[in-house]
Amino acid sequence: MNIPQISHHYVDVDGIKVFYREAGPKDAPTLLLLHGFPSSSHQYRRLMDALGDRYHLVAPDYPGFGHSDAPVPATLGGTFAYSFDSLADVIEGFCRALRLDRFVAYMFDFGAPVGFRLAARHPEWIEGLVIQNGNAYTAGLSPIAQEFTAMKPGVKGAEEGVLGLLTLEMTRSQYLTGAAHPERISPDGWTMDQHFLDLPGRAQIQIDLALNYHSNITLYPQWQAWLREHQPPTLIFWGRHDPFFVEAGARAYLDDVPNAELHVLDTGHFALEECLPTIAPRIASFVDRTSVNKDGQAERV
């Protein structure tokens, strides 16, 4: 039985302490695990247990999430402007600090806009994409998501609308809505998420990011063009009962990356929580097929 050791670290990125979890041999193929809202690297704990004996897995917390620093937002007089560009800036610096210059990016929820920004800036870093309920198409936006993405600074009631999403009831529902077997989903996930959401100052961070989400919709055509141009090896998992990102968003990827591998799962938004036994071995097979060594030749077939 091979059980990996998972280590926990901080690295300084332009004065921000970024927390991350790491497992596996550093000379093995690397997966960069980009978490969603309102979660943190904690959401990847079981995946790291499943794959950390064979692959190098790295899972950071964004600024304002999990155990990473949460600088005072610019909207409250601080120096850090919380936007998706800013999150991508920090994760780009994180990759440089850890010398991650070739990896498969696992992109879930908020991880998609962060990951696609990285990909657009550094296509040479991207060995492949694992996309799990990470949207990049207007077809993938449910009516609920359309209302969310319409919230912008200055829109009446927008901030109050975001605050309504930061309650324990809403956090729990993100995990359980659409789950085929809710008893398989640990309450630790939403309990941990809510702990961090309730910390002083964190609500404004989420308001700022929510009111910036529309910037991602604007970039969808650019990300789609990037996919068409680069044709990265792509593995897609999608919980078909996701109340935010609907199945059409998963299938839209196939228009731009026809060779992508798609698995639609009978679950909701946090598919990994319920479907790890299905997802983990398919990720392993995918990484084995796509990983290359330093000479650019396939390591495994």
Side-chain angles (χ1 to χ4, degrees):
M1 181 180 297
N2 295 320
I3 300 176
Q5 291 283 0
I6 299 176
S7 57
H8 307 83
H9 310 274
Y10 288 91
V11 63
D12 184 278
V13 179
D14 295 327
I16 296 174
K17 286 174 57 181
V18 175
F19 172 84
Y20 66 100
R21 304 166 196 262
E22 186 172 26
K26 293 186 178 181
D27 59 351
T30 296
L31 289 100
L32 177 65
L33 308 176
L34 299 173
H35 68 79
F37 163 84
S39 51
S40 66
S41 61
H42 178 261
Q43 75 169 82
Y44 291 117
R45 65 206 180 280
R46 294 186 65 216
L47 184 67
M48 297 181 83
D49 283 336
L51 299 181
D53 63 327
R54 295 178 58 190
Y55 309 104
H56 180 216
L57 284 79
V58 182
D61 291 350
Y62 310 138
F65 290 77
H67 297 286
S68 287
D69 278 353
V72 176
T75 49
L76 294 180
T79 59
F80 190 82
Y82 284 87
S83 68
F84 285 89
D85 282 342
S86 296
L87 296 187
D89 290 344
V90 172
I91 297 304
E92 180 181 10
F94 171 82
C95 290
R96 294 189 186 280
L98 269 63
R99 299 181 180 179
L100 303 178
D101 58 8
R102 191 69 176 166
F103 49 79
V104 171
Y106 188 119
M107 308 193 309
F108 164 70
D109 189 66
F110 274 20
V114 172
F116 275 120
R117 281 171 169 83
L118 284 185
R121 298 175 188 180
H122 298 285
E124 73 281 2
W125 287 4
I126 305 301
E127 194 161 53
L129 301 176
V130 177
I131 299 169
Q132 189 252 294
N133 293 77
N135 195 57
Y137 297 86
T138 56
L141 299 173
S142 72
I144 295 173
Q146 291 174 35
E147 291 181 11
F148 178 84
T149 59
M151 295 190 294
K152 301 177 183 179
V155 173
K156 185 178 179 179
E159 293 194 10
E160 293 77 7
V162 177
L163 289 174
L165 300 174
L166 306 183
T167 65
L168 177 59
E169 179 182 2
M170 288 300 298
T171 302
R172 183 192 298 113
S173 72
Q174 290 195 55
Y175 280 80
L176 296 180
T177 299
H181 299 280
E183 73 279 3
R184 296 178 182 174
I185 300 180
S186 170
D188 296 345
W190 66 74
T191 303
M192 179 74 73
D193 292 353
Q194 196 63 41
H195 163 75
F196 289 116
L197 284 175
D198 290 341
L199 291 178
R202 295 290 180 102
Q204 187 62 46
I205 290 171
Q206 296 304 333
I207 289 172
D208 291 352
L209 287 171
L211 300 189
N212 182 249
Y213 199 92
H214 64 90
S215 69
N216 301 323
I217 312 300
T218 301
L219 292 175
Y220 280 1
Q222 295 182 33
W223 300 343
Q224 295 160 18
W226 185 90
L227 290 167
R228 289 193 298 272
E229 176 185 356
H230 292 279
Q231 293 296 306
T234 302
L235 175 63
I236 303 166
F237 299 102
W238 211 271
R240 62 161 38 101
H241 305 301
D242 188 332
F244 307 105
F245 301 137
V246 298
E247 184 178 335
R251 299 196 179 279
Y253 279 103
L254 301 180
D255 294 333
D256 293 319
V257 191
N259 291 327
E261 179 183 340
L262 171 62
H263 299 275
V264 179
L265 307 171
D266 188 24
T267 188
H269 187 60
F270 279 89
L272 192 61
E273 293 289 319
E274 185 177 10
C275 299
L276 176 75
T278 298
I279 292 174
R282 284 176 168 81
I283 291 176
S285 176
F286 174 76
V287 173
D288 287 348
R289 297 194 308 270
T290 60
S291 296
V292 296
N293 60 27
K294 294 180 179 179
D295 296 324
Q297 300 298 316
E299 281 189 341
R300 302 180 177 92
V301 295

